[in-house]
Amino acid sequence: MSALLFLSCANDLSKTDTDTAVTDIHIASAGNAFSIVKGDTYRLQAKVLPEYASDKRLSFSSSAEGIASVNVEGVIMAREEGNAVITIRAANGVQKTINVTVTSVPIAVAEIKFEETPPESLIIGETYSIKAKAQPDEATNKELAYIV
């Protein structure tokens, strides 16, 4: 007894087109906005989705290179105070943006000066308001906290 078997497949297995398009870009390190201090650098952690996309290439650009520039590896350099938008673009045109604010270098408080000499002692029921000032005048955060 002999049998002849014919099989058919709906898919054309001769095709080798396995291109999977990028549908999104995931930014693990920054979210959609962050601040950076002038002179500092920050490396973006970006990847294409789906992870098995055929063309995983990403390019980076800045709306204001003089404020925050970005290199081909996604490293942002904070150059001047201000705002910039960093765009991350996949080869197929899918893109994400990140708002970057470059802030000034913080100036630390070096000392606290009393504006008048406080009394050496107080009698019960007396009050005294301390008048103190953070120095230098250009300090970034001159707020003083008084703890009793």
Side-chain angles (χ1 to χ4, degrees), residues 79-103:
R79 299 189 179 283
E80 292 294 330
E81 293 177 45
N83 297 302
V85 177
I86 303 297
T87 302
I88 305 168
R89 184 173 285 114
N92 70 345
V94 172
Q95 67 182 34
K96 279 266 174 109
T97 59
I98 300 172
N99 298 314
V100 177
T101 300
V102 177
T103 60

Side-chain angles (χ1 to χ4, degrees), residues 75-142:
V75 177
I76 297 170
M77 174 65 178
R79 299 189 179 283
E80 292 294 330
E81 293 177 45
N83 297 302
V85 177
I86 303 297
T87 302
I88 305 168
R89 184 173 285 114
N92 70 345
V94 172
Q95 67 182 34
K96 279 266 174 109
T97 59
I98 300 172
N99 298 314
V100 177
T101 300
V102 177
T103 60
S104 62
V105 176
I107 299 171
V109 171
E111 65 178 313
I112 298 172
K113 286 190 174 181
F114 289 104
E115 294 180 355
E116 59 184 49
T117 306
E120 290 185 21
S121 63
L122 293 173
I123 298 174
I124 295 175
E126 285 185 319
T127 61
Y128 174 78
S129 294
I130 296 174
K131 295 178 182 106
K133 189 173 169 182
Q135 292 293 311
D137 288 333
E138 303 80 31
T140 305
N141 182 0
K142 297 185 289 187

Side-chain angles (χ1 to χ4, degrees), residues 2-52:
S2 66
L4 186 58
L5 178 62
F6 293 97
L7 296 175
S8 174
C9 181
N11 293 332
D12 185 356
L13 298 177
S14 66
K15 289 186 179 179
T16 59
D17 184 12
T18 58
D19 285 349
T20 301
V22 172
T23 58
D24 197 8
I25 298 171
H26 175 70
I27 305 166
S29 56
N32 64 355
F34 71 96
S35 292
I36 184 171
V37 174
K38 179 181 173 181
D40 284 354
T41 59
Y42 184 84
R43 178 181 290 279
L44 292 170
Q45 309 262 333
K47 66 180 180 178
V48 299
L49 294 176
E51 291 184 18
Y52 54 86

Side-chain angles (χ1 to χ4, degrees), residues 57-72:
R57 291 179 296 156
L58 292 173
S59 62
F60 302 88
S61 62
S62 172
S63 66
E65 288 283 330
I67 294 172
S69 62
V70 60
N71 69 15
V72 296

